[in-house]
Amino acid sequence: MSQYLSENITKITTNTLQRMRNEGERIAMLTAYDYSIATLLDMAKIDVILVGDSAANVMAGYKTTLPITLDEMIYHASSGVRAVKRAWVVVDMPFGTYQGNSKMALNSAIRIMKESGADAIKLEGGEEVVESIDRILSAGIPVMGHLGLTPQSINKFGTYAVRATSEEEAAKLLENAKLLEEHGCFSLVLEKIPATLAKKVTESIHIPTIGIGAGGATSGQVLVFHDMMGITQQFSPRFLRRYLNLSEEIVGAIEHYIEDVKSCEFPNESEQY
Ligand code: KIV
């Protein structure tokens, strides 16, 4: 910790991420929606912090990512950004702030950048959002794409099952990946698609791909922090590796605290004035 505080820290940029991809060094990305968790991620030297709209599920308890607002995303993003010295911080544009209206998309992206201090934005979709991407990029805002399972379209898909398993959908996804690269996205999230397709996409474009449920051949990986730490419990897809079972530990600690309060064990003499 003290080493982190005194270290001369070099900030990650899109150039760093591109170099890592070119040299075959995998990129590690995790979500954070607040100052405390972003501090821990940055101390551990995570490469990219995603202020994901999964905050709608994890922080607010909504069933989908659709309800979260631009103001709420800016609140989460600015809380995370205040913690970060090293990581590249990407913020999800929430549902309804960029689709079908590139002028609104630019205004939403500018608000995120200005009010949160983030480094880049992420948005979901392929050819249907390239006009928005062009306009956002024209303001000098780096854009990360997101293909495959795009949770903001859950009502169209009807299911969170693996995407692009048919030849037709796989070909469309590859075409969209090339299009997003052509239009200037600096990176691309590939969510819940067959590993062979993710490999093909990664080998067909020159920008870093970041996979979630997309196998091991992508340029990097992303997980939702609360899922990989075992804070959330119901969500258990095959691709999720849990590194801790924090929900059990936290509930145990809370039960211990309640016991100590009830038995007048807390506070003791050294814990009072
Ligand atoms: O919102 C999010 O957390 C995401 C990741 C799952 C990629 O978009």
Side-chain angles (χ1 to χ4, degrees), residues 29 31 33 50-55 57 65 92 122 124 146 151 189 191 210 212 222-224 239:
M29 171 159 125
T31 59
Y33 321 109
L50 172 65
V51 183
D53 61 353
S54 50
N57 313 117
T65 56
D92 260 335
K122 173 166 87 58
E124 298 181 5
H146 185 153
V189 165
E191 179 164 356
I210 312 288
I212 174 163
V222 56
L223 285 175
V224 169
F239 68 75

Side-chain angles (χ1 to χ4, degrees), residues 64-79:
T64 72
T65 56
L66 275 64
I68 200 160
T69 65
L70 188 58
D71 284 339
E72 287 166 340
M73 285 304 296
I74 289 170
Y75 168 77
H76 286 300
S78 57
S79 306

